[in-house]
Every structure is written in structure tokens, then in C-alpha cells.
Amino acid sequence: MTTPTEAHARPGRSDASGSTAPSGDGSVDGGRTSYPPSAAFVAGAVAHEDLHHAAEADRLQFWADQSRELLDWRTPFTRTLDFDDAPFAKWFDDGTLNVAENCLDRHVRNGLGDRVAIHFEGEPGDTRTITYAELTADVQRAANMLSDLGVVAGDRVVVYMPLIPEAVVAMLAVARLGAIHSVVFGGFSAESLRARIEDAGAKLVVTADGGWRKGAVAPLKPAVDEALEGEGTDSIEHVLVVRRGGNDVTWNERDLWWHDEMAKAAPEHEARAFPSEQPLFILYTSGTTGKPKGIVHTSGGYLTQAAFTHRNVFDMHPETDVYWCTADIGWITGHSYVVYGPLANGVTQVLYEGTPDVPEPGRWWDLVDKYGVTVLYTAPTAVRSAMKAGRQIPDARDLSSLRLLGSVGEPINPEAWHWFRQVIGHDRTPVVDTWWQTETGAIMVSALPGVTQLKPGAAQCPIPGILAEVVDEDGNRVEPGASGLLTIAEPWPSMARGIWHDPDRFIETYWSKFPGRYFAGDGARLDGEGDIWLLGRVDDVMNVSGHRLSTAEIESALVEHDGVAEAAVVGADDKTTGQAIVAFVILTAAAADGVDRAAVSEELRQFVGQRIGAIARPRQVVIVPELPKTRSGKIMRRLLRDAAEGRTVGDTTTLADGGIMAQITELM
Ligand code: WTA
């Protein structure tokens, strides 16, 4: 592993132009580019090195110290970790706290009430500046509103919202009551929303009439109405609707306007203390089956690691930094690095409702300029889109406020890494590549700026207090230079506490391949210096624009169409989105008769978009006469992936029908 001391001892970069970018194979030998710790971060680096040393000396003591330093506990904990019921961990078990109070009230008490918490910018250009005092007041009132509507600790509240301040207020108000939020990304369909409401047994939905997206209002309320017509949603008592889009909505007896109910609610709310292990949220994520998993996170451990990583990986100076994480609250990145991490640290941040290219391609860079953003955290796919649009767009803006860039969601290709650093960061800013997952709750593997010699394309080293290890199929640690599977050897504070109502699936999915180790589902390689390079998923999870989707989920959606007899889906490499969805479909005899292939393909693409959400719409649907199957009937996805990526198709000798791949390739 790159220990801090080694990193300092290494020679500086050999070439700043980026022309000798590592290919991503993990080798950094032979004069390839890497970047020394940035001078601007070296002061902080001493503290960061101490963190590494402290964690190495006593991991549990280290996390206990961090938790005490970063959070306000109502009842101090005396037990750090209880893993007797492994893999179900308890952290800081006998302590109590209120998560919302840690993100809000305590900053106001500490005299920071006038600090801006959120610079909100709507897509049409409307803005709101919300201080910590104002956000605290909003959340207190909203907590009273929810409790007037009968929400009590442990209840589930589904949040289906655009990226507006009320979404953050709703999450924190739920947390303040010890209730459990389940945010469903606003791009998901009515059916996806219904399934999550049913699984969570939610009492209330918070939504908006609509939100601004790509220059128009994207309605949300109609999807809630449709979802609640479906099965398994009787648990919902009310729908709270924020007025945002101004679009017409139909009104049902259970519906209430957010602004009406807020006006009725009392302004002051006393936060109760809850146990550290009080569930905080459920977030559904795609697994290897058709049914999304409700990943459960709890309070004290989650907030500790979200705050710790936010502070140290991004080298936060809350008094001066203006931070912007571009993620939507519908994903884990929005939970940990828009809501909980930054607010626990009392940081000022930008919240932007819309897309990067509205009203024109430079919108993001205009926002960096306008708000003086210092730390920008985004996804490789966004960087690649900006590259495609051309550097003249950012070059025309003043981006000199930026001092640190972060990447998350998928492996960042060295070309995008260099472009990000040079064009957006003017070759001054470190780029930290952060690996983590919905299940890990917070960043697990990342360079620390100022400490680590940065290698473009590598997530590099576990953060202090985390034991990330690459192992072979037998669970033995691989040597530097070899690849294997990424695992975590010891429990960590923000780890998932389970899958909602499905403990067996939690054990089976993550803890059974290597007993005693968490199996992440990612392939990884150690380079000659022991640094970690992520290689992508090794299971049937795809990563499209940094969003997780399972092949099985899309296959299930496709076969729900009357005309589809069978479907196989693969993730194919894609220059912009990382991976793209390619579906191979056999039509039913009736549907196949005299069919217009192009029209049916397009219909099926749209069908999947309606069933799951636009992000799940395949790039391509190929109608095929048969799928490549072994004699035992197993679909050989490897061959389909070859075809989808335009490669020569691999070995077909084990296929039942040897000629099928030639036919499929013809049809691509
Ligand atoms: C992938 C997102 C390489 C990985 C926070 C993981 C990454 C999945 C990186 C989790 C990275 C995320 N380098 N791969 N820096 N960050 N991934 O749950 O495959 O939406 O398993 O959490 O994204 O996706 P999730």
C-alpha cells in the first residue's frame, strides 16, 4: 500500500502534459505520469498522515476518536464495535444522538447560523441562498409537519423529488424524528416507485408537482398517482406535494400541499436523541436479480464516516470552501456527499436542479464561476461529456476558484482524468478518485490530497481505518502486480446494516463468497507499488453513467412485453457513459411475423424506459432468432458482449448452435 511516507519519498512527475498517461493496466513503471502531493495540501497532509498512523496503531480507537471529534453525542458511547452477530455490525451502540441536530442545530449553537448552507440554483435560473439558521428552522418546522401527519420513529417515508432544497429538508426532517427515508430517484418510473413503496411499507410520500429538467418541467406527481393505483401501496396515508414546476396536477383526498401544511406546523421542534443504530434510511440499488435491494443504513456509524471522509478526502475548510457535489439525492452519493457529510461538517455548498447543458453547454462552469466553487465532486461520465463538447466552453469561464476535484461512480479513464485536471483544474488541482458503494455508505478507497502521489486512473489506497484487500478466488491476498477481487477485511462504521426485510440475501450476496470478508463485486488490480486499480464489476451489475443497473432487472422488464419471448442484456463499453445497455431479444412467433425490426427495437427501448426509468433504456435492442446457449441452456453473455463491443467473437465451440453468433453479428 502507498503509505504516506513512501509517497513523499517518491520522485515527482516526469511529465505534466499527460501524454504518457497510464493505460489503466496498473503499471506505473517506465516513466509514466503520476503527480506528487500538491504543495497547497502539504500542511493538511501532516494531519492526514497522522490519521493513517493512528488508524494503523488502533483501528477501533481511531474510529471512536473520529466519531467523538466530528459528532455531538447526547449520550457518549462506550462500546465502539459489536460484531458478534456478524455480518450485522453495531457501531457506537450504547451512544445516542440526533442526526439532524448534528447537521444543523449544533452549527447554529456554535455561532455559524449566518453561514450559507445551500446556494440553490434552479434550472430556469431562480436562486435561493439558505443559511444554516434558515435550514435549521425549515427542518424543525417540517419535522413538526411530519409528526402532525402521524410520522413517528421507525416509519418509512418515500421521497420522490427534484433536486431542490425541500428534498434536503424532507430527508433531514424524517431523520430528526428517527423515521426512515427512502429516496427514489425522480427519473425512476411509476412502477419502480410502486415496488419501492411496497417493499418499504411506507406511510407517506413526499414529492413535487414537477421539477425542471432539460429546459422543461418533468412531472413527478402523476407518477406518484399511478404508483399508488398499483398493488401493495395501501400503507400510504398521505402524499405531500411541493409546488415547484407549476404544472397541473390531479388532486386526491390523500394529497396535501407542502406549503399549506408547513404554514400550519409549529416553528420550533426539540430533537429527541436516538440510539446510534437507529435506522436512518433505506436506499434501493440494483443487484444481480430483477428485484432491487433495500440497503439499510443507520445513524452514528454512517454519519461518522460520511463526515470523516468528506472532511479529509476533500480536505475541507468549512470556513472558506464552497463545495459542489453534482449528484442527485436519489443516489448514495447525494445522501453522503450532498446531505449528510457536508452538512455535518458545516460546509457551504451549491445545489443545482438541472442538467449541465441548459440553457447552454457551459452551465456547470458558469456555476463554478458564479459561486466560486473550490471543490467539485462529479462522475467520469460528466467529465467525458464535457470533453466531447470541447475545451473552449470551460476555457471561456473563470474556474480559478477550484482547488480540488473528485471523481466517483466508475473507473475514471486516464484520458478523462488528465483532461479534468488540466482543463478544469488548470493543472493545479489534484483529482481524487474515490471508490465506494451504496453498501459501503461512504468513501472507502481514495488518495488523500497532499499525502498520496496521484496516479491517474487509480483509486489507489484505502482511507485510514479501512482494510480493503484484493484477493484471489480462494480468498488469499494477491501480490503486487496481480489482479483479483476487491474485498473489505474488517467492518467499518458506515457499512450497510442489511437488506430491508431480507437478512439472508445480505449474507448470501456480500458475505458468503469469502467467509468473514465483504465481497464488493468489483475486480481490482494491485500495481507494483500495491496501489489499487478498479477494473469494473465482475457480476451482472452494469454501470451506466455511474448509475447501477442489473442485467436481470432489464431482462425482466423486456419479457413483460407481449412480443418478447426471451431476452439477454449485456453492458458494453461506451465512450461517454462508461457502459451502455445492449439487449438481445427473441420475439414470440406472433410478434416476429413480418416484423419491422427497427420499429420493434425502438418500441422495446421505450418500453424499458417506461417500466424502469429513462436511465435504463437500452442503447440498442437487437432482435435475434436465437441466443448463444451452451448445451445445458446457459446463455453465454461473454459472446454477446463481444458482439456488442464490435470485437471478434470469442470461442464458440461450447455452443449448442455453433452458427448463431455469426447471424447475431450480422444483425448488429
Ligand atoms: C463503481 C456509487 C471504479 C463500482 C458511489 C461499485 C467505481 C459501484 C468507483 C457502486 C471508482 C464507484 N472507481 N469504480 N472510483 N466508484 N464505482 O452503489 O463498480 O451506485 O461497485 O455507489 O460503482 O455503485 P453505487
Side-chain angles (χ1 to χ4, degrees):
M1 250 2 91
T2 315
T3 65
T5 7
E6 273 167 12
H8 276 305
R10 285 204 207 128
R13 69 184 155 180
S14 49
D15 169 18
S17 74
S19 56
T20 53
S23 62
D25 65 1
S27 166
V28 289
D29 305 321
R32 291 178 166 195
T33 308
S34 64
Y35 293 83
S38 303
F41 292 87
V42 168
V46 177
H48 288 146
E49 277 186 39
D50 288 347
L51 294 175
H52 271 293
H53 294 314
E56 273 157 35
D58 187 341
R59 211 174 58 82
L60 294 182
Q61 184 63 44
F62 164 79
W63 282 120
D65 290 345
Q66 287 304 323
S67 188
R68 291 188 183 109
E69 185 178 319
L70 292 164
L71 306 184
D72 277 7
W73 289 85
R74 288 271 191 95
T75 320
F77 58 88
T78 62
R79 290 196 298 268
T80 300
L81 170 68
D82 173 353
F83 206 41
D84 290 350
D85 188 23
F88 302 95
K90 294 191 185 105
W91 282 84
F92 317 124
D93 187 24
D94 57 347
T96 69
L97 79 171
N98 186 290
V99 169
E101 180 180 46
N102 269 279
C103 293
L104 300 165
D105 313 48
R106 67 161 168 156
H107 301 315
V108 179
R109 275 201 303 272
N110 293 339
L112 304 175
D114 291 338
R115 182 180 288 170
V116 174
I118 296 176
H119 287 295
F120 171 68
E121 173 113 359
E123 202 188 67
D126 55 316
T127 61
R128 280 158 71 186
T129 305
I130 305 169
T131 63
Y132 271 93
E134 289 163 342
L135 192 62
T136 304
D138 283 353
V139 170
Q140 291 202 14
R141 196 182 272 277
N144 283 326
M145 164 177 72
L146 295 179
S147 92
D148 293 346
L149 294 174
V151 175
V152 297
D155 282 347
R156 276 79 61 206
V157 174
V158 164
V159 175
Y160 185 63
M161 298 267 270
L163 192 49
I164 56 176
E166 286 83 353
V168 178
V169 171
M171 289 166 75
L172 290 166
V174 170
R176 192 175 186 93
L177 297 175
I180 305 170
H181 58 69
S182 183
V183 183
V184 178
F185 173 54
F188 277 128
S189 66
E191 170 52 24
S192 298
L193 176 62
R194 188 208 61 76
R196 286 156 173 79
I197 290 171
E198 179 180 24
D199 191 79
K203 195 177 217 174
L204 188 89
V205 179
V206 186
T207 189
D209 48 0
W212 287 90
R213 199 104 201 122
K214 300 187 178 160
V217 172
L220 287 166
K221 173 72 165 51
V224 177
D225 295 341
E226 190 186 333
L228 295 185
E229 274 163 30
E231 258 169 52
T233 57
D234 292 345
S235 57
I236 295 294
E237 294 174 6
H238 290 291
V239 177
L240 261 176
V241 188
V242 175
R243 183 137 63 201
R244 168 65 189 156
N247 48 311
D248 284 340
V249 289
T250 48
W251 211 246
N252 307 296
E253 212 173 310
R254 60 176 174 248
D255 300 338
L256 301 164
W257 283 112
W258 170 279
H259 54 263
D260 288 343
E261 300 309 305
M262 278 291 264
K264 284 186 223 157
E268 265 147 51
H269 180 270
E270 185 126 3
R272 249 175 75 196
F274 292 97
S276 179
E277 285 299 333
Q278 181 79 9
L280 178 62
F281 64 87
I282 305 171
L283 184 59
Y284 287 86
T285 186
S286 295
T288 51
T289 70
K291 190 173 177 284
K293 301 175 280 200
I295 301 296
V296 178
H297 283 285
T298 60
S299 302
Y302 170 78
L303 196 62
T304 297
Q305 197 174 328
F308 171 81
T309 48
H310 182 258
R311 176 157 300 191
N312 292 292
V313 172
F314 301 126
D315 188 54
M316 273 292 141
H317 296 276
E319 344 40 81
T320 48
D321 271 317
V322 178
Y323 163 84
W324 183 18
C325 167
T326 63
D328 189 274
I329 44 140
W331 311 107
I332 190 70
T333 308
H335 283 61
S336 304
Y337 299 106
V338 175
V339 181
Y340 293 108
L343 295 177
N345 288 332
V347 163
T348 297
Q349 68 176 318
V350 172
L351 190 75
Y352 171 56
E353 177 187 30
T355 44
D357 49 356
V358 174
E360 46 163 352
R363 185 68 183 273
W364 268 21
W365 315 124
D366 284 339
L367 294 178
V368 168
D369 184 355
K370 175 173 176 185
Y371 294 106
V373 172
T374 56
V375 176
L376 177 68
Y377 189 32
T378 191
T381 183
V383 176
R384 289 190 298 264
S385 297
M387 279 171 81
K388 217 154 98 186
R391 70 171 293 162
Q392 73 286 356
I393 297 168
D395 280 353
R397 273 89 181 171
D398 180 4
L399 306 182
S400 60
S401 55
L402 287 170
R403 62 178 196 90
L404 179 66
L405 303 172
S407 169
V408 62
E410 50 171 313
I412 180 164
N413 47 314
E415 199 194 347
W417 195 101
H418 284 285
W419 191 90
F420 200 22
R421 180 185 166 107
Q422 285 162 15
V423 177
I424 303 305
H426 297 173
D427 214 11
R428 290 178 290 105
T429 57
V431 177
V432 288
D433 177 12
T434 65
W435 177 91
W436 60 293
Q437 308 176 301
T438 304
E439 295 86 342
T440 71
I443 294 171
M444 301 290 279
V445 181
S446 172
L448 295 183
V451 178
T452 323
Q453 176 99 9
L454 295 176
K455 297 176 183 175
Q460 298 196 258
C461 24
I463 61 155
I466 297 298
L467 268 84
E469 294 178 346
V470 181
V471 302
D472 63 20
E473 278 294 332
D474 300 323
N476 300 314
R477 277 192 288 170
V478 305
E479 294 296 320
S483 36
L485 302 169
L486 185 65
T487 66
I488 315 294
E490 294 289 344
W492 61 100
S494 64
M495 68 199 287
R497 300 304 196 261
I499 294 176
W500 185 251
H501 285 164
D502 202 347
D504 294 343
R505 191 174 175 195
F506 183 65
I507 297 168
E508 167 60 29
T509 311
Y510 306 106
W511 302 91
S512 61
K513 187 169 175 71
F514 304 114
R517 275 177 192 275
Y518 171 82
F519 168 52
D522 283 273
R525 183 181 156 79
L526 288 186
D527 68 18
E529 294 168 309
D531 278 327
I532 298 174
W533 296 69
L534 272 306
L535 302 175
R537 300 287 303 198
V538 295
D539 52 15
D540 294 327
V541 173
M542 295 175 291
N543 193 323
V544 181
S545 298
H547 298 149
R548 261 168 87 163
L549 291 160
S550 86
T551 54
E553 204 176 342
I554 293 167
E555 287 164 4
S556 319
L558 280 164
V559 298
E560 276 171 44
H561 190 284
D562 287 344
V564 174
E566 225 179 312
V569 166
V570 298
D573 283 345
D574 185 279
K575 270 208 153 72
T576 309
T577 58
Q579 281 188 310
I581 303 164
V582 178
F584 297 85
V585 162
I586 306 176
L587 298 180
T588 57
D593 207 20
V595 62
D596 173 352
R597 284 172 181 286
V600 173
S601 289
E602 186 52 27
E603 182 182 327
L604 292 174
R605 283 186 66 240
Q606 300 304 338
F607 182 76
V608 174
Q610 280 150 20
R611 294 296 300 177
I612 304 176
I615 47 163
R617 206 157 44 206
R619 180 181 75 188
Q620 198 180 358
V621 176
V622 191
I623 294 163
V624 297
E626 188 44 86
L627 291 166
K629 288 180 185 156
T630 61
R631 281 176 199 89
S632 59
K634 190 172 167 290
I635 296 173
M636 293 193 68
R637 285 162 202 282
R638 178 171 56 76
L639 300 177
L640 292 174
R641 218 170 293 128
D642 288 342
E645 294 176 355
R647 266 195 307 273
T648 318
V649 172
D651 184 8
T652 58
T653 49
T654 56
L655 289 182
D657 171 359
I660 188 60
M661 282 316 298
Q663 287 184 53
I664 291 179
T665 316
E666 278 278 289
L667 292 165
M668 292 298 298

